[in-house]
Amino acid sequence: MPDTNKPDMSCVPYRRKGLYFALTVPFLLLLAAVFCYLWTYHFSLSLVFASLFLGMSYFQAYCCAYQECPYVGGFCPAVIGIMPASLMAKALYGKGIVKSKRRFEISATLGVACWLGLVVFPLFWLAKLGAVFAIGYVLSHVVYTVLFGAAICPACAIRDICPGGRLSGMVLKRW
């Protein structure tokens, strides 16, 4: 949760863009493949899947503005490629934000719920291809998240403010 910590402006602009794209583009391609696969069953399944991704971005947008993220409106090293959150934050809150810790906590919780939905929702249909596909999909989320936390979060301007950045910092200090 935000506190007296301020963004580390020495990390703006974000310097590890190549690494960010190397991690995130393949992951987004996986999500796109799952989207297309769900479409083969019914387009509404793909719409639910896409809505979960957009929901993550929407809820994250409030968190970005609340945390005074310096990446708002520009390139943002957002987890799972939810860069639309940066643009949404600028569009929705660019002229000012009424800060509410409660709303921040609700938005963060709903954003995580959307992410978990993105993980769990397609499993039934992926399992029809074989258990290895469903397990592989879940493991890809785990591996991506661990790699992201280890490689991207430490160079992010809000690593000491963002809950994910804080968790990454605590884990990396213990290693």
Side-chain angles (χ1 to χ4, degrees):
M1 268 57 30
D3 57 10
T4 58
N5 290 328
K6 295 290 180 196
D8 178 357
M9 297 307 287
S10 70
C11 295
V12 179
Y14 189 77
R15 291 179 188 87
R16 295 182 181 176
K17 287 181 185 175
L19 181 57
Y20 174 80
F21 285 121
L23 283 174
T24 303
V25 168
F27 192 76
L28 288 175
L29 290 173
L30 171 65
L31 295 180
V34 171
F35 174 88
C36 292
Y37 175 68
L38 291 173
W39 191 282
T40 66
Y41 279 94
H42 199 275
F43 74 93
S44 63
L45 297 174
S46 291
L47 294 179
V48 169
F49 190 72
S51 295
L52 291 166
F53 183 85
L54 291 173
M56 282 191 312
S57 295
Y58 174 78
F59 294 118
Q60 181 61 38
Y62 182 81
C63 296
C64 294
Y66 183 89
Q67 295 171 318
E68 299 175 12
C69 179
Y71 303 120
V72 167
F75 174 81
C76 170
V79 69
I80 311 178
I82 56 169
M83 287 183 276
S86 169
L87 303 174
M88 287 179 185
K90 184 174 183 176
L92 296 171
Y93 310 108
K95 294 182 180 168
I97 181 175
V98 176
K99 290 188 175 188
S100 163
K101 184 175 180 179
R102 179 166 163 70
R103 183 171 176 196
F104 171 80
E105 291 170 351
I106 290 170
S107 290
T109 300
L110 291 174
V112 169
C114 286
W115 171 63
L116 292 175
L118 201 67
V119 175
V120 173
F121 177 73
L123 291 180
F124 173 79
W125 293 277
L126 289 171
K128 289 184 177 215
L129 287 172
V132 72
F133 287 95
I135 293 167
Y137 178 71
V138 171
L139 285 177
S140 71
H141 277 272
V142 171
V143 168
Y144 173 82
T145 302
V146 168
L147 290 175
F148 190 92
I152 303 303
C153 289
C156 180
I158 63 166
R159 67 186 171 274
D160 295 327
I161 303 168
C162 165
R166 285 182 173 184
L167 176 63
S168 168
M170 287 188 306
V171 170
L172 291 174
K173 282 179 187 174
R174 291 185 183 203
W175 283 353

